[in-house]
Structures are given as structure tokens and as C-alpha cells.
Coordinates of all heavy atoms in Angstrom, one line a residue:
M214 N -6.1 10.4 11.5 CA -5.3 11.4 12.2 C -4.7 12.3 11.2 O -4.8 13.5 11.4 CB -4.2 10.6 13.0 CG -3.3 11.6 13.9 SD -4.3 12.5 15.1 CE -3.2 13.6 15.8
K215 N -4.2 11.8 10.2 CA -3.6 12.7 9.1 C -4.6 13.6 8.5 O -4.4 14.7 8.3 CB -2.9 11.8 8.1 CG -1.8 12.4 7.4 CD -1.0 11.4 6.6 CE 0.4 12.0 6.2 NZ 1.2 11.0 5.5
R216 N -5.8 13.0 8.3 CA -6.9 13.7 7.7 C -7.4 14.9 8.7 O -7.6 16.0 8.2 CB -8.1 12.7 7.5 CG -9.2 13.4 6.7 CD -10.4 12.4 6.6 NE -10.6 12.0 5.3 CZ -11.3 11.0 4.9 NH1 -11.8 10.2 5.8 NH2 -11.6 10.7 3.6
L217 N -7.5 14.6 10.0 CA -7.8 15.6 10.9 C -6.9 16.8 10.9 O -7.3 17.9 10.9 CB -7.8 15.0 12.4 CG -9.2 14.5 12.9 CD1 -9.0 14.0 14.3 CD2 -10.1 15.7 12.9
L218 N -5.6 16.4 10.8 CA -4.6 17.4 10.8 C -4.7 18.4 9.6 O -4.7 19.6 9.7 CB -3.2 16.7 10.8 CG -2.1 17.7 11.2 CD1 -2.2 18.1 12.7 CD2 -0.7 16.9 11.0
S219 N -4.9 17.8 8.4 CA -5.0 18.6 7.2 C -6.3 19.5 7.3 O -6.3 20.6 6.7 CB -4.9 17.8 6.0 OG -6.0 16.8 6.0
L220 N -7.3 18.9 7.9 CA -8.5 19.7 8.0 C -8.3 20.9 8.9 O -8.7 22.0 8.6 CB -9.6 18.8 8.6 CG -11.0 19.5 8.7 CD1 -11.6 19.6 7.3 CD2 -12.0 18.6 9.5
A221 N -7.5 20.7 10.0 CA -7.2 21.8 10.9 C -6.4 22.9 10.1 O -6.6 24.1 10.3 CB -6.5 21.3 12.1
V222 N -5.5 22.4 9.3 CA -4.6 23.4 8.6 C -5.5 24.2 7.6 O -5.4 25.4 7.5 CB -3.5 22.6 7.8 CG1 -2.8 23.5 6.8 CG2 -2.5 22.0 8.8
L223 N -6.4 23.5 6.9 CA -7.3 24.1 6.0 C -8.2 25.2 6.6 O -8.3 26.3 6.2 CB -8.2 23.1 5.3 CG -9.0 23.5 4.1 CD1 -8.2 23.9 3.0 CD2 -10.0 22.5 3.7
T224 N -8.8 24.8 7.8 CA -9.6 25.7 8.5 C -8.8 26.9 9.0 O -9.3 28.1 8.9 CB -10.2 25.0 9.7 OG1 -10.8 23.8 9.3 CG2 -11.3 25.8 10.3
G225 N -7.6 26.7 9.5 CA -6.7 27.7 9.9 C -6.5 28.7 8.8 O -6.5 29.9 9.0
G226 N -6.2 28.1 7.6 CA -5.9 29.0 6.5 C -7.1 29.9 6.1 O -6.9 31.1 5.8
L227 N -8.3 29.3 6.2 CA -9.5 30.1 5.9 C -9.7 31.2 6.9 O -10.0 32.3 6.5 CB -10.7 29.2 5.9 CG -10.9 28.3 4.7 CD1 -12.1 27.3 4.9 CD2 -11.0 29.1 3.4
L228 N -9.5 30.9 8.1 CA -9.6 31.9 9.2 C -8.6 33.1 9.0 O -9.0 34.2 9.1 CB -9.4 31.3 10.6 CG -10.6 30.5 11.1 CD1 -10.3 29.8 12.4 CD2 -11.9 31.3 11.2
A229 N -7.4 32.7 8.6 CA -6.4 33.7 8.4 C -6.8 34.6 7.2 O -6.6 35.9 7.3 CB -5.0 33.1 8.1
A230 N -7.3 34.0 6.2 CA -7.7 34.8 5.0 C -8.9 35.8 5.4 O -8.9 36.9 5.0 CB -8.2 33.9 3.9
D231 N -9.7 35.3 6.3 CA -10.8 36.1 6.8 C -10.3 37.3 7.5 O -10.8 38.5 7.3 CB -11.7 35.3 7.7 CG -13.0 34.8 7.0 OD1 -13.1 35.1 5.8 OD2 -13.8 34.2 7.7
A232 N -9.3 37.1 8.4 CA -8.8 38.2 9.2 C -8.2 39.3 8.3 O -8.3 40.4 8.7 CB -7.7 37.6 10.2
V233 N -7.6 38.9 7.2 CA -7.0 39.9 6.3 C -8.0 40.9 5.8 O -7.8 42.1 5.8 CB -6.2 39.2 5.2 CG1 -5.8 40.2 4.1 CG2 -5.0 38.5 5.7
N234 N -9.2 40.3 5.4 CA -10.2 41.1 4.8 C -11.2 41.6 5.9 O -12.1 42.3 5.6 CB -11.1 40.3 3.8 CG -10.2 39.8 2.7 OD1 -9.3 40.5 2.3 ND2 -10.5 38.6 2.2
A235 N -10.9 41.3 7.1 CA -11.8 41.6 8.2 C -12.3 43.0 8.2 O -11.5 43.9 8.2 CB -11.2 41.3 9.6
G236 N -13.6 43.2 8.1 CA -14.1 44.5 8.3 C -14.2 45.4 7.1 O -15.0 46.3 7.1
E237 N -13.3 45.2 6.2 CA -13.2 46.2 5.1 C -14.5 46.0 4.2 O -14.7 45.0 3.6 CB -12.0 45.9 4.3 CG -11.7 46.9 3.2 CD -11.0 48.2 3.7 OE1 -11.1 48.6 4.8 OE2 -10.3 48.8 2.8
Q238 N -15.3 47.1 4.2 CA -16.5 47.0 3.4 C -16.7 48.3 2.7 O -16.3 49.4 3.1 CB -17.7 46.8 4.4 CG -18.1 45.4 4.6 CD -19.5 45.2 5.1 OE1 -20.4 45.9 4.7 NE2 -19.6 44.3 6.0
T239 N -17.4 48.2 1.5 CA -17.8 49.4 0.8 C -19.3 49.5 0.6 O -19.9 48.5 0.2 CB -17.0 49.4 -0.6 OG1 -15.6 49.4 -0.3 CG2 -17.3 50.7 -1.3
V240 N -19.8 50.6 0.8 CA -21.3 50.8 0.6 C -21.5 52.1 -0.2 O -20.7 53.0 -0.1 CB -22.0 50.8 1.9 CG1 -21.7 52.1 2.7 CG2 -23.5 50.7 1.7
T241 N -22.5 52.0 -1.1 CA -22.8 53.2 -1.9 C -24.1 53.8 -1.3 O -25.1 53.0 -1.2 CB -22.9 52.9 -3.4 OG1 -21.7 52.4 -3.8 CG2 -23.3 54.2 -4.1
L242 N -24.1 55.0 -0.9 CA -25.3 55.7 -0.4 C -25.9 56.6 -1.4 O -25.2 57.3 -2.1 CB -24.9 56.5 0.9 CG -24.2 55.8 2.0 CD1 -23.8 56.8 3.0 CD2 -25.0 54.7 2.6
A243 N -27.2 56.6 -1.5 CA -27.9 57.6 -2.3 C -28.1 58.8 -1.3 O -28.6 58.6 -0.3 CB -29.2 57.1 -2.8
V244 N -27.6 60.0 -1.7 CA -27.6 61.1 -0.8 C -28.6 62.2 -1.3 O -28.5 62.6 -2.5 CB -26.2 61.7 -0.7 CG1 -26.2 62.9 0.3 CG2 -25.2 60.7 -0.3
E245 N -29.5 62.6 -0.5 CA -30.4 63.7 -0.8 C -29.9 65.1 -0.5 O -29.0 65.2 0.3 CB -31.8 63.4 0.0 CG -32.5 62.2 -0.4 CD -33.6 61.8 0.6 OE1 -34.2 62.8 1.1 OE2 -33.8 60.6 0.9
N246 N -30.6 66.1 -1.1 CA -30.3 67.5 -0.7 C -29.0 68.1 -1.2 O -28.7 69.2 -0.8 CB -30.4 67.7 0.8 CG -31.8 67.6 1.4 OD1 -32.7 67.4 0.6 ND2 -32.0 67.6 2.7
M247 N -28.3 67.4 -2.0 CA -27.1 68.0 -2.5 C -27.5 68.9 -3.7 O -27.8 68.5 -4.8 CB -26.0 67.0 -3.0 CG -25.5 66.2 -1.8 SD -23.9 65.4 -2.2 CE -24.4 64.1 -3.3
T248 N -27.5 70.2 -3.4 CA -28.0 71.2 -4.4 C -26.9 72.0 -5.1 O -27.2 72.6 -6.1 CB -29.0 72.1 -3.8 OG1 -28.4 72.7 -2.6 CG2 -30.2 71.4 -3.3
C249 N -25.7 72.0 -4.6 CA -24.7 72.8 -5.3 C -23.4 72.0 -5.1 O -23.3 71.1 -4.4 CB -24.6 74.2 -4.7 SG -23.7 74.3 -3.2
A250 N -22.4 72.5 -5.8 CA -21.1 71.8 -5.9 C -20.3 71.7 -4.6 O -19.4 70.9 -4.5 CB -20.2 72.4 -7.0
S251 N -20.7 72.5 -3.6 CA -20.0 72.4 -2.3 C -20.6 71.5 -1.4 O -20.0 71.1 -0.4 CB -19.7 73.8 -1.7 OG -20.9 74.6 -1.8
C252 N -21.9 71.1 -1.6 CA -22.5 70.1 -0.8 C -21.7 68.8 -0.6 O -21.6 68.3 0.5 CB -23.9 69.8 -1.3 SG -25.1 71.1 -1.1
P253 N -21.2 68.2 -1.7 CA -20.4 67.0 -1.6 C -19.3 67.1 -0.5 O -19.0 66.1 0.1 CB -19.9 66.7 -3.0 CG -20.8 67.4 -3.8 CD -21.3 68.6 -3.1
Y254 N -18.7 68.2 -0.4 CA -17.6 68.4 0.6 C -18.1 68.2 2.0 O -17.4 67.7 2.8 CB -16.9 69.7 0.4 CG -16.2 69.9 -0.9 CD1 -16.8 70.6 -2.0 CD2 -14.9 69.2 -1.1 CE1 -16.1 70.6 -3.2 CE2 -14.3 69.3 -2.4 CZ -14.9 70.0 -3.4 OH -14.3 70.1 -4.6
I255 N -19.3 68.8 2.2 CA -19.9 68.7 3.6 C -20.2 67.2 3.9 O -19.9 66.7 4.9 CB -21.1 69.5 3.7 CG1 -20.8 71.0 3.4 CG2 -21.7 69.4 5.1 CD1 -22.0 71.9 3.1
V256 N -20.8 66.5 2.9 CA -21.1 65.1 3.0 C -19.9 64.3 3.3 O -19.8 63.5 4.2 CB -21.9 64.6 1.8 CG1 -22.1 63.1 1.8 CG2 -23.2 65.3 1.6
K257 N -18.8 64.6 2.5 CA -17.6 63.8 2.6 C -17.0 64.0 4.0 O -16.5 63.1 4.6 CB -16.6 64.3 1.5 CG -15.3 63.5 1.5 CD -14.4 64.1 0.4 CE -13.0 63.6 0.5 NZ -12.7 62.4 -0.3
R258 N -17.0 65.3 4.5 CA -16.5 65.6 5.8 C -17.2 64.8 6.9 O -16.7 64.3 7.8 CB -16.5 67.1 6.0 CG -15.2 67.6 6.8 CD -15.1 69.1 6.7 NE -16.4 69.7 7.0 CZ -16.7 71.0 6.7 NH1 -15.8 71.7 6.2 NH2 -17.9 71.5 7.0
S259 N -18.6 64.8 6.8 CA -19.4 64.2 7.8 C -19.1 62.7 7.8 O -19.1 62.0 8.9 CB -20.9 64.4 7.5 OG -21.3 63.8 6.4
L260 N -18.9 62.1 6.6 CA -18.6 60.6 6.6 C -17.2 60.3 7.1 O -17.0 59.4 7.8 CB -18.7 60.1 5.1 CG -20.2 60.1 4.6 CD1 -20.2 59.9 3.1 CD2 -20.9 59.0 5.3
A261 N -16.2 61.2 6.7 CA -14.8 60.9 7.1 C -14.7 61.1 8.6 O -13.8 60.5 9.2 CB -13.9 61.9 6.4
A262 N -15.6 61.8 9.3 CA -15.5 62.0 10.7 C -16.0 60.8 11.5 O -15.8 60.7 12.7 CB -16.4 63.2 11.1
V263 N -16.7 59.8 10.8 CA -17.2 58.6 11.5 C -16.0 57.7 11.7 O -15.3 57.3 10.8 CB -18.2 57.9 10.7 CG1 -18.7 56.6 11.3 CG2 -19.4 58.9 10.4
P264 N -15.7 57.3 13.0 CA -14.6 56.4 13.3 C -14.8 55.1 12.5 O -15.9 54.5 12.6 CB -14.7 56.2 14.8 CG -15.5 57.4 15.3 CD -16.4 57.7 14.2
G265 N -13.7 54.7 11.8 CA -13.8 53.4 11.1 C -13.9 53.6 9.6 O -13.7 52.7 8.8
V266 N -14.2 54.9 9.2 CA -14.3 55.2 7.8 C -12.9 55.5 7.2 O -12.1 56.3 7.8 CB -15.2 56.4 7.5 CG1 -15.1 56.9 6.0 CG2 -16.6 56.1 7.8
S267 N -12.5 54.7 6.2 CA -11.1 54.9 5.7 C -11.2 55.7 4.4 O -10.2 56.3 4.0 CB -10.5 53.6 5.4 OG -11.2 52.8 4.6
N268 N -12.3 55.8 3.7 CA -12.4 56.5 2.5 C -13.9 56.9 2.2 O -14.8 56.1 2.4 CB -11.8 55.7 1.3 CG -11.7 56.5 0.0 OD1 -11.3 57.7 0.1 ND2 -12.0 55.9 -1.1
A269 N -14.1 58.1 1.6 CA -15.4 58.5 1.2 C -15.3 59.3 0.0 O -14.6 60.3 -0.1 CB -16.1 59.3 2.4
Q270 N -15.9 58.8 -1.1 CA -16.0 59.5 -2.3 C -17.4 60.0 -2.6 O -18.3 59.2 -2.6 CB -15.5 58.6 -3.5 CG -14.1 58.2 -3.4 CD -13.1 59.3 -3.5 OE1 -13.3 60.3 -4.2 NE2 -12.0 59.2 -2.8
V271 N -17.6 61.3 -2.8 CA -19.0 61.8 -2.9 C -19.1 62.4 -4.3 O -18.3 63.2 -4.8 CB -19.3 62.8 -1.9 CG1 -20.8 63.3 -2.0 CG2 -19.1 62.3 -0.5
S272 N -20.1 62.0 -5.0 CA -20.4 62.5 -6.4 C -21.6 63.4 -6.4 O -22.7 62.9 -6.0 CB -20.6 61.3 -7.3 OG -21.1 61.8 -8.6
F273 N -21.4 64.6 -6.7 CA -22.6 65.5 -6.9 C -23.4 65.1 -8.0 O -24.7 65.1 -7.9 CB -22.0 67.0 -7.1 CG -23.1 68.0 -7.3 CD1 -24.1 68.2 -6.4 CD2 -23.1 68.8 -8.4 CE1 -25.1 69.1 -6.6 CE2 -24.1 69.8 -8.6 CZ -25.1 69.9 -7.7
E274 N -22.8 64.7 -9.2 CA -23.6 64.3 -10.4 C -24.4 63.1 -10.1 O -25.6 63.1 -10.5 CB -22.6 64.0 -11.5 CG -21.8 65.2 -12.0 CD -20.7 65.7 -11.1 OE1 -20.2 64.9 -10.3 OE2 -20.3 66.9 -11.2
M275 N -23.8 62.1 -9.4 CA -24.6 60.9 -9.1 C -25.5 61.0 -7.9 O -26.2 60.1 -7.6 CB -23.6 59.7 -8.9 CG -22.6 59.5 -10.1 SD -23.3 58.9 -11.6 CE -23.6 57.2 -11.0
K276 N -25.3 62.0 -7.1 CA -26.0 62.2 -5.9 C -25.8 60.9 -5.0 O -26.7 60.3 -4.4 CB -27.5 62.3 -6.1 CG -27.9 63.5 -7.0 CD -27.9 64.8 -6.2 CE -28.4 66.0 -7.1 NZ -27.3 66.6 -7.9
S277 N -24.5 60.6 -4.9 CA -24.2 59.4 -4.2 C -22.8 59.5 -3.4 O -22.0 60.4 -3.7 CB -24.1 58.2 -5.1 OG -22.9 58.3 -5.9
A278 N -22.6 58.7 -2.5 CA -21.4 58.6 -1.7 C -21.0 57.2 -1.6 O -21.8 56.3 -1.3 CB -21.6 59.2 -0.3
T279 N -19.7 56.9 -2.0 CA -19.2 55.6 -1.9 C -18.2 55.6 -0.7 O -17.2 56.3 -0.7 CB -18.5 55.2 -3.2 OG1 -19.4 55.3 -4.2 CG2 -18.0 53.7 -3.1
V280 N -18.5 54.7 0.3 CA -17.8 54.8 1.5 C -17.1 53.5 1.8 O -17.8 52.4 1.8 CB -18.7 55.2 2.7 CG1 -17.9 55.4 4.0 CG2 -19.6 56.4 2.3
T281 N -15.8 53.5 2.2 CA -15.1 52.3 2.6 C -14.9 52.4 4.1 O -14.5 53.4 4.6 CB -13.8 52.2 1.9 OG1 -14.0 52.2 0.5 CG2 -13.1 50.9 2.3
F282 N -15.3 51.3 4.8 CA -15.3 51.4 6.3 C -15.0 50.1 6.9 O -15.1 49.0 6.2 CB -16.6 51.9 6.8 CG -17.8 51.0 6.5 CD1 -18.2 50.1 7.5 CD2 -18.5 51.1 5.3 CE1 -19.3 49.3 7.2 CE2 -19.5 50.3 5.0 CZ -20.0 49.4 6.0
D283 N -14.6 50.1 8.1 CA -14.3 48.9 8.9 C -15.5 48.5 9.6 O -16.0 49.2 10.5 CB -13.1 49.2 9.9 CG -12.7 48.0 10.7 OD1 -13.5 47.0 10.7 OD2 -11.6 48.0 11.3
D284 N -16.1 47.3 9.2 CA -17.4 46.9 9.8 C -17.3 46.5 11.3 O -18.3 46.1 11.9 CB -18.1 45.9 8.9 CG -17.5 44.6 8.9 OD1 -16.5 44.4 9.6 OD2 -18.0 43.7 8.2
Q285 N -16.0 46.4 11.8 CA -15.8 46.1 13.2 C -16.1 47.4 14.0 O -16.3 47.4 15.2 CB -14.4 45.6 13.5 CG -14.0 44.5 12.6 CD -14.6 43.2 13.0 OE1 -14.6 42.9 14.2 NE2 -15.1 42.5 12.0
K286 N -16.0 48.6 13.3 CA -16.0 49.9 14.0 C -17.3 50.7 13.7 O -17.7 51.5 14.5 CB -14.8 50.7 13.7 CG -13.5 50.1 14.2 CD -12.3 51.0 13.7 CE -11.0 50.4 14.2 NZ -9.8 50.9 13.4
T287 N -17.8 50.4 12.6 CA -19.0 51.2 12.2 C -19.9 50.4 11.3 O -19.6 49.3 10.9 CB -18.6 52.6 11.6 OG1 -19.8 53.4 11.5 CG2 -18.0 52.4 10.3
N288 N -21.0 51.0 10.9 CA -21.9 50.3 10.0 C -22.7 51.3 9.1 O -22.6 52.5 9.3 CB -22.9 49.4 10.8 CG -23.6 50.2 11.8 OD1 -24.1 51.3 11.6 ND2 -23.6 49.7 13.1
A289 N -23.4 50.8 8.1 CA -24.1 51.6 7.2 C -25.1 52.6 7.9 O -25.2 53.7 7.5 CB -24.8 50.8 6.2
A290 N -25.7 52.1 9.0 CA -26.7 52.9 9.7 C -26.0 54.2 10.3 O -26.5 55.3 10.2 CB -27.3 52.1 10.8
A291 N -24.8 54.0 10.8 CA -24.0 55.1 11.4 C -23.6 56.1 10.3 O -23.6 57.3 10.5 CB -22.8 54.6 12.1
L292 N -23.4 55.6 9.1 CA -23.0 56.4 8.0 C -24.1 57.3 7.5 O -24.0 58.5 7.3 CB -22.4 55.6 6.8 CG -21.2 54.7 7.1 CD1 -20.9 53.8 5.9 CD2 -20.0 55.5 7.6
T293 N -25.3 56.7 7.3 CA -26.5 57.4 6.9 C -26.9 58.4 8.0 O -27.3 59.5 7.7 CB -27.7 56.5 6.6 OG1 -28.0 55.8 7.8 CG2 -27.3 55.5 5.5
D294 N -26.7 58.0 9.2 CA -26.9 58.9 10.4 C -26.0 60.2 10.3 O -26.5 61.3 10.5 CB -26.6 58.1 11.6 CG -27.4 58.7 12.8 OD1 -28.7 58.9 12.6 OD2 -26.9 58.9 13.9
A295 N -24.8 60.0 10.0 CA -23.8 61.1 9.9 C -24.2 62.1 8.8 O -24.2 63.3 9.0 CB -22.4 60.5 9.7
T296 N -24.6 61.6 7.6 CA -24.9 62.5 6.6 C -26.2 63.2 6.9 O -26.4 64.4 6.6 CB -25.0 61.8 5.2 OG1 -26.1 60.9 5.2 CG2 -23.7 61.1 4.8
T297 N -27.2 62.4 7.5 CA -28.5 63.0 7.8 C -28.3 64.2 8.8 O -28.9 65.2 8.7 CB -29.4 61.9 8.4 OG1 -29.5 60.9 7.4 CG2 -30.7 62.5 8.8
K298 N -27.4 64.0 9.8 CA -27.2 65.0 10.8 C -26.5 66.2 10.2 O -26.7 67.4 10.7 CB -26.3 64.5 11.9 CG -27.1 63.7 13.0 CD -26.3 63.1 14.1 CE -27.1 62.3 15.0 NZ -26.3 61.3 15.7
A299 N -25.8 66.0 9.1 CA -25.2 67.2 8.4 C -26.2 67.8 7.4 O -25.8 68.8 6.8 CB -23.9 66.7 7.6
G300 N -27.4 67.3 7.4 CA -28.4 67.9 6.5 C -28.7 67.2 5.2 O -29.4 67.7 4.3
F301 N -28.0 66.0 5.1 CA -28.2 65.3 3.8 C -28.6 63.8 4.1 O -27.7 62.9 4.2 CB -26.8 65.3 3.1 CG -26.3 66.7 2.8 CD1 -25.5 67.3 3.7 CD2 -26.7 67.3 1.6 CE1 -25.0 68.6 3.4 CE2 -26.3 68.6 1.4 CZ -25.5 69.3 2.2
P302 N -29.9 63.6 4.2 CA -30.4 62.2 4.4 C -29.9 61.3 3.3 O -29.8 61.7 2.2 CB -31.9 62.4 4.3 CG -32.2 63.8 4.6 CD -31.0 64.6 4.0
S303 N -29.5 60.1 3.7 CA -29.1 59.1 2.7 C -29.5 57.7 3.1 O -30.0 57.5 4.2 CB -27.5 59.1 2.7 OG -27.0 58.7 3.9
H304 N -29.4 56.8 2.1 CA -29.7 55.4 2.4 C -28.9 54.6 1.5 O -28.5 55.0 0.4 CB -31.2 55.1 2.2 CG -31.7 55.4 0.8 ND1 -32.3 56.6 0.5 CD2 -31.8 54.7 -0.3 CE1 -32.7 56.6 -0.8 NE2 -32.4 55.5 -1.3
P305 N -28.5 53.3 1.9 CA -27.7 52.4 1.1 C -28.4 52.2 -0.3 O -29.6 52.0 -0.3 CB -27.6 51.2 1.9 CG -27.9 51.6 3.3 CD -28.8 52.7 3.2
R306 N -27.6 52.2 -1.3 CA -28.2 52.0 -2.6 C -28.0 50.6 -3.2 O -28.7 50.2 -4.1 CB -27.6 53.0 -3.6 CG -28.5 53.3 -4.8 CD -28.0 54.5 -5.5 NE -26.7 54.3 -6.1 CZ -26.0 55.2 -6.9 NH1 -26.6 56.3 -7.1 NH2 -24.9 54.9 -7.4
N307 N -27.0 49.9 -2.6 CA -26.8 48.5 -3.1 C -27.2 47.5 -2.0 O -27.6 47.8 -0.9 CB -25.4 48.3 -3.6 CG -24.4 48.8 -2.6 OD1 -24.7 49.5 -1.6 ND2 -23.1 48.5 -2.8
Ligands
CU1365 CU1 -24.4 73.1 -1.6

């Protein structure tokens, strides 16, 4: 009985820890078609407009975008879709 109880506490603890990190994910996208220094702003804006995205850093030099998002609200496919619609096809790099 005592053992069962501590197991329940342990499981509860793990679930709580999961909930804290729930959804927060970061993906790096390789972005095509960025030909000048203002392209990253357009890419960044298209990513920031996706519901669930909390941060988007776009590098013109690296031709990449690092996006932090809530995986309960969106996913990598929606992110690449957003940049593609803005004229910059992308795909996850990691
Ligand atoms: Cu440009």
C-alpha cells in the first residue's frame, strides 16, 4: 500500500513536470529565396503570424529561421507552410 502510494506521487510529479514544458518546442528551418537583407523580416513576420509561435529569429547569413512554438497549437508543417506562402519555401533542418 505504501509502495503504491509513493508510485502515484512519483507519477504525479512526472506529469506535472511535463505540463510545465508542455508544447514548448524549437525548430530550425532552412529557408530558401532570401536574397536581400529585408527578406528575413518578411519571413519573420510570416512565422510570427502563425498562432502558437512565441519567437522567430531569422538569419539572412545562415539562411535559416529558428522558431519557438507551442506544439499544442501548431507544428513544423504549419511553419514551413507559412514561409512558403510568403514566397520563401523552407524545411526543418534538425
Ligand atoms: Cu529581400
